Amino acid sequence: MKIPLKWLQEYVALTLSSSDLANKLTMAGIEVKGVQVIGGEWENIVVGQIIAIKPHPNADRLSLPTIDLGTEQQTVVCGAPNLRFGDKVAFAPVGAQLIDGHTGQAFRLKSARIRGVMSSGMACSEKELGISDSHERIIVLPAEAPVGTPLADYLGDVIFDLDITPNRPDCLCVIGIAREIAALTGRSLSLPEVSYKEAASPIDQQISVEIAAPDLCPRYGASLITGVKIGESPRWLQQRLLACGMRPISNIVDITNYVMLEYGQPLHAFDYDKIKGKKIIVRRAAEGEAVVTLDGVERVLSADMLVIADTAGSVAIAGVMGGADSEVTRGTTSILLEAASFNPASIHYTGRRLQLPSEACMRFERGIRPELTLPALKRTTQLIVQLAGGEAAKGVVDVYPGKREQEPILLSTGKVKTLLGVEFSLDQIVGALTSLGFDCKQGDSASEVWVTTPYWRSDIHLTVDLIEEIVRVIGYDKIPATMLSQSLPRQNPEPVLGLKQQAGRILTGCGFQEVITYSLTSLEMLNKLLPEPHPLEPMPLRMANPMTAEREYLRPSLRANLLAAFSANRRHEDSGIRLFELGKVYLPRHNDLPDEPEALCGILGGSRLEKSWQGKEELLDFYDAKGVVEGLLNQLGVEANFEEDRDESLCLGKQAAIVVDGKKLGVVGELHPKVLEAFEVSEPVYLFEINLTALLPFTIGHKMFQPIPRFPAIVRDMALVIDTEISHQRVLDIIKSFPLVNQVTLFDVYAGDQVPRGKKSLAYRITFQSPTHTLTDKEVNKVQQQILNKLSSELGAILRG
Amino acid sequence: MLQQLEELKLKAFQELEGINDVKELESWRVRYLGRKSHLTNILRRLAALPLGERKAVGAYANEVKVYLEDSLKQRGEALREAQLAASAEKEHIDITLPGRHLPIGRLHPITQTLHEICDIFSSMGFQVVEGPEVEWDYYNFEALNIPKEHPARDTMSTSWVDFQTENGVPMLLRTHTTSVSARIIESMPPPIRVVEPGKVYRYEASDATHVPMFHQIDGLVVDRGITMADLKGTLYEFSRRFFGEDRKARFRCDYFPFVEPGVEMAIECLVCGGKGCRLCGNTGWIEILGAGMTHSQVLQRGGIDPDIYTSFAFGMGIERLPMLRYGIDDVRLFYGSDLRFLRQF
Ligand SMILES: [Zn+2]
């Protein structure tokens, strides 16, 4: 909200510099977002009066006005069409800084000969002064502008751009801000004097008001002004509206807007002659009732919206927008003026449903106190009588079914200290509250006070609300900073958080870069993971109001985003890429919030080591991915089996389920070529995925220490020739089933000319060790023979010659 | 005899000086000091000499032996030194060639920042907790004094989930991590001291300062005798440790429906140090977080008696912190997964 300081000054003396004032307001919760200085650059520009106009000897469209500046007179060359004898203008002498009317750039005025005549200054347009974009005509100042006065003193201003929090509708106006400044700077507030002459005929005989929905309209006030003349509003009023960011329209509309900016109460003017039955009815709309609003659009209403109606139908949507049928037009002579209070939630609902945000709507939905209606109604009536002529009917209509007494709130110094942690005296407390217009009465004890809230404050209900007011005025810097002194609450750390951190550390240690991607994705993206298209089962959760098609569904896995990240990075990375993400995935559940397990997904492809001057380049493969998973699980103390799997996004036969204690907790494998193609990746890429939430229980087990072997080990190498399809795991399981076998390492796998077709060679290094004695060759030979026998009988393995 | 010894000594020494290879030293030793050497022979035959001569020859022969042994040792050392120097010269490597690298991975800058913040609060006795990202309207709004049609809802444009529950309760993506506080108040008996990091969502188009998903951390303390001075002390301590000893902080009045009194904490601008610049909008201050004394209605709704317990709460956006610290000017970079960006942290 924009507020000009000159306007503020009518109600409170401003004793601080504008920057100090801005700071003071900001600290007290009225944030000054911006400060605009109008006329800051108007050095040397003064108010002048045109005392003579001569034609230019060499140019028809130019003239030579002589301008009186009080102490001297200057004749300039001017091309504006609106030069008039006696007008007050803004005169810029040579050297003044102005805005170029065509380029919009600042420049310094030089003396110049224009078509043969010297011009030593100029009469400025609004654009040249930086006030508006109007450049054709020169600015004409009000007749009372004092000749010779610096223009900055007369027309300059400082405009505060304020951010008013939703709890303070009382600050959405100049008087509200003036009231805050008065309290914060210890000055008094002076309100406009409101009085006007009334005609003899009482208003009740000319209009009646009925509130049929008192729950949505606690108060409705109206006044009647007859014999008005619709026209432009005076320049000073237009200028204030402009400074506040509103466009002048006509005197009546401008005056209602002016009072809304001044008092914070939105007002509406009806053409009295168009009100049928001379009766106003405030009621809920009929379901499907239609009304054409001021903007010419027909609006269809629902039964939970409030309308202002006459005996024939609705004439306005209450608090949101007036109706076209009752609009004030050029020919209007009688004004029925409305100042009412409406239910904030109802206005908020209606305004949003009809998508009709407005200054009035914004004020109503934050809560206008019913007590404000009459002062604002009378002020508006006064200004209409003053500025648009006409005569006010005797009295006002005031229907007030929602009248409620303000209950006083009990406040004690002890309560203030309990909440703030610092003691303020009762005098300080009463002083702060009184300055804001609260009424304080001594309570039962010397440390207590009964506080009554002033009518304009809709946000004060509880003791804590008063305490905020006190500290706002006294200052937050008066609160000390203390450390928590209570004993530490019992800690129950969530184990999954520790697991996430640990997994992140391990993976970064393995060379993986963490990424964070959006949780929302698209069906198109998810479908790229399917080599053969089919409907997703289950369907991921969809947003009711997706911002874009790319962010419509909650991701059921991290895969798609990681693949997209891989693909995007490949455009500028030529070495190996290793990425991982740790985050929630969202799995729909019946009639409940989705399950949100913590997922871990890693992706890798490209060269194993960065391109180097030494060594040859090798590509990452399945066993790199599996090695990372094995290393991770090993560090987490989890033993897993890898079993053949059928994940459709991965290559058949090049993928393994990660199985712990019989449960599948993840998968590792090479991505399906069609999936890679869909993500525009043209190289093999490997992926692993683990459900951390499901893994968690297996990471918590109790570990026992294994003693370091005291007796020496005997190491034997054994190369086996075996059918190609027999897995390493089956061989390993047999070898490990024998006593004294301490460790088995596969150190060579070979298939080729040296072994028969359909066969492969596996070479193992077996470490034999006993915890009780030093082994002899004889003992080891015996076990080794037994192992070989079993491998041969069960798997058909023979020792390679 | 003495004459012979003298000649032997001279000859042996001259020969030793002529040796330039460590390997030849051994044959020299065998020749002059070995079991079959002339000197050993002389020493062995001492007993056959007359007593007077025996003493003189014996003493001198021993002297020659010690002399030759020392000379051998010195020569050996000198030769080894020379050899090392020569080989160092020959086997010199180019130490400017790059080292052999293992791949390096890093945590995301947001994760790093969250760890840093959680560590600071953990050291002050706060427990880290998390809550659901997909949330009921109740915990995100209603429980926090933001009923339907409340103007505060307009400032947190919400992404709604298209999901029908049997009782028609609306489901949404949480707009702030304060929803976790609402859950904690309901489920955890006081005393409470927690921080709640996580992702939050807004129904907003992306630009350099807005993204539809970002991170926040909320904090909540409920206990007997908690005051606004404690809130100030806790947050100033956080600021001191995160932004540094000399970075001034301030509280000012602000409004959040779930706290009263409500405050905003700002720190002195990191660019201009308080003088005013573009970053801070010429105010010299940068907003960091919102906070306040938890509203008694919020406590009551969650089953905590506000006459016994008082409480403070705070919440802050995370992205802003690394942006300020590293001068990042576009928040979308955090979620673009571009290695050229992520590798810098
Ligand atoms: Zn700054």
Side-chain angles (χ1 to χ4, degrees), chain A residues 63 101 116 192 333 346 375 413 512 533 565 659 673 682 710 713 751 769:
Chain A
S63 33
T333 55
S346 162
T413 52
F512 282 73
V659 178
S682 54
R710 283 166 56 206
Q769 205 157 29

Side-chain angles (χ1 to χ4, degrees), chain A residues 221-237:
Chain A
S223 68
L224 180 64
I225 308 106
T226 54
V228 298
K229 195 168 176 318
I230 308 297
E232 275 196 10
S233 49
R235 181 166 186 90
W236 63 265
L237 196 151

Side-chain angles (χ1 to χ4, degrees), chain B residues 300-311:
Chain B
Q300 227 153 13
R301 207 173 281 125
I304 292 176
D305 186 347
D307 289 331
I308 299 175
Y309 294 102
T310 46
S311 163

Side-chain angles (χ1 to χ4, degrees), chain A residues 26-27 348 419 468 476 479 482 486 491-492 512 514 519 542 544-545 569 573 586 591 596 614, chain B residues 100 106 108 111 125 127 133-134 149 154 160 162 166 201 203 224 228 230 232 252 262 337 339 343:
Chain A
T26 299
M27 294 300 281
H348 186 255
L419 203 68
E468 178 170 79
Y476 285 86
I479 295 178
T482 56
Q486 288 77 0
Q491 304 268 314
N492 297 303
F512 282 73
E514 186 188 20
S519 311
R542 193 183 159 270
N545 56 339
N569 275 299
E573 291 294 321
Y586 313 86
N591 206 34
E596 294 184 13
Q614 7 160 262
Chain B
R100 207 171 273 132
R106 294 170 174 83
H108 193 280
T111 309
Q127 185 188 319
E133 292 172 20
V134 183
E149 309 302 338
D154 301 346
W160 299 93
D162 181 16
E166 277 155 19
Y201 301 85
Y203 181 71
R224 290 168 202 264
M228 191 163 231
D230 296 331
K232 200 174 183 181
R252 72 169 197 86
S337 301
L339 283 166
R343 270 201 288 253

Side-chain angles (χ1 to χ4, degrees), chain A residues 360-489:
Chain A
C361 190
M362 183 265 285
R363 285 173 172 80
F364 276 126
E365 68 190 25
R366 293 174 179 206
I368 296 293
R369 299 288 300 174
E371 290 87 342
L372 189 59
T373 56
L374 278 205
L377 183 71
K378 288 181 177 165
R379 169 68 166 161
T380 316
T381 309
Q382 174 200 25
L383 288 177
I384 290 178
V385 170
Q386 244 174 43
L387 305 174
E391 206 178 29
K394 189 175 167 62
V396 292
V397 175
D398 183 20
V399 184
Y400 195 177
K403 191 173 171 68
R404 265 187 308 191
E405 287 304 318
Q406 286 275 11
E407 292 288 328
I409 303 168
L410 184 64
L411 182 67
S412 68
T413 52
K415 185 80 188 168
V416 174
K417 189 178 178 211
T418 304
L419 203 68
L420 299 181
V422 60
E423 183 133 29
F424 292 135
S425 72
L426 202 64
D427 278 355
Q428 280 177 294
I429 290 170
V430 169
L433 289 172
T434 310
S435 74
L436 287 166
F438 289 81
D439 183 44
C440 300
K441 287 206 171 57
Q442 183 69 52
D444 296 339
S445 82
S447 62
E448 282 179 343
V449 64
W450 286 101
V451 183
T452 307
T453 304
Y455 75 79
W456 57 85
R457 293 298 294 269
S458 55
D459 60 320
I460 308 290
H461 310 285
L462 303 168
T463 319
V464 287
D465 299 327
L466 294 176
I467 294 174
E468 178 170 79
E469 294 305 300
I470 296 162
V471 67
R472 232 162 46 80
V473 173
I474 295 180
Y476 285 86
D477 53 335
K478 301 294 184 300
I479 295 178
T482 56
M483 292 304 284
L484 289 167
S485 55
Q486 288 77 0
S487 54
L488 276 183

Side-chain angles (χ1 to χ4, degrees), chain B residues 269 272 276-277 280:
Chain B
C269 178
C272 64
C277 68
C280 57

Side-chain angles (χ1 to χ4, degrees), chain A residues 258-323:
Chain A
Y258 181 83
V259 176
M260 176 176 74
L261 293 173
E262 189 182 35
Y263 277 67
Q265 167 76 49
L267 298 119
H268 186 66
F270 296 101
D271 184 333
Y272 171 71
D273 296 325
K274 294 174 188 164
I275 302 295
K276 295 171 191 82
K278 302 304 168 212
K279 183 171 185 186
I280 289 288
I281 306 152
V282 186
R283 60 164 169 84
R284 284 185 162 79
E287 188 68 40
E289 183 175 350
V291 57
V292 178
T293 42
L294 286 175
D295 50 5
V297 180
E298 187 184 73
R299 314 274 173 181
V300 180
L301 310 178
S302 62
D304 38 20
M305 296 175 178
L306 190 70
V307 295
I308 312 298
D310 59 15
T311 53
S314 40
V315 292
I317 304 169
V320 175
M321 197 179 255

